Structure formats: structure tokens, C-alpha cells
Amino acid sequence: MERAAAAESLAISFVPTQGKTAVYLAQGYAALGEKRKARAWLRRYEVRRDLYFQMHLRSDPPFDPLADDRAFRALLTVPRPPAGKAC
């Protein structure tokens, strides 16, 4: 968890939050089972309609644990395929 805290302390200084920063930190937190923190980082990225961002949300396996989460699904502009059936 120390590395996650270190990464977060560095990333929080980037304003506005870049898409890759939000995605990568959210993936790390999702892998650690920290769903709330993962969603919080995804919400930081303000250009949610960005196709690159949406592609990660829809197809990256690290987000499989969030697939059934209502708050996570609210970030999607198009529904996510079932876990394991990504693009």
C-alpha cells in the first residue's frame, strides 16, 4: 500500500487529472480491491467522453471487479461487455 500512497501523492498534484493518470491509478486500486478509490480516480478525469478513456473502461481486465458496480457503469457512455468478453 505504500507504493499506492506514493503514486497517489504524486498524481494528485496534476491538475487537471490526465486520462492515463486516472486510468492507471484506478486499475491499481481495482486490483487491490479498493473499488471506492478506483471509482474516485476515474471520476477525477473530466473528459469522460474521451474515446481512449472509454476504451480502457470497457476493455481493460483490471476493471472486471468494477463491472457490476452502478457508479462505475455510470461513467460509461456505452455499456461494458461482460467480464472476460471485452472488445
Side-chain angles (χ1 to χ4, degrees):
M1 261 327 216
E2 281 184 38
R3 289 186 183 183
E8 184 162 341
S9 70
L10 288 171
I12 208 153
S13 66
F14 297 116
V15 177
T17 300
Q18 299 297 309
K20 289 181 181 181
T21 302
V23 166
Y24 296 154
L25 282 165
Q27 287 176 340
Y29 279 121
L32 293 170
E34 297 277 348
K35 293 180 181 182
R36 185 182 57 76
K37 287 184 179 183
R39 287 189 313 265
W41 271 101
L42 293 173
R43 283 193 306 270
R44 284 178 179 265
Y45 184 54
E46 295 176 10
V47 191
R48 294 190 186 114
R49 296 187 74 74
D50 172 37
L51 294 177
Y52 177 82
F53 181 73
Q54 288 294 312
M55 185 240 356
H56 280 289
L57 297 183
R58 294 189 74 233
S59 62
D60 288 1
F63 291 129
D64 286 353
L66 300 174
D68 293 330
D69 186 282
R70 184 174 52 202
F72 175 76
R73 288 192 317 261
L75 297 170
L76 299 169
T77 56
V78 174
R80 187 177 198 273
K85 304 269 187 208
C87 303

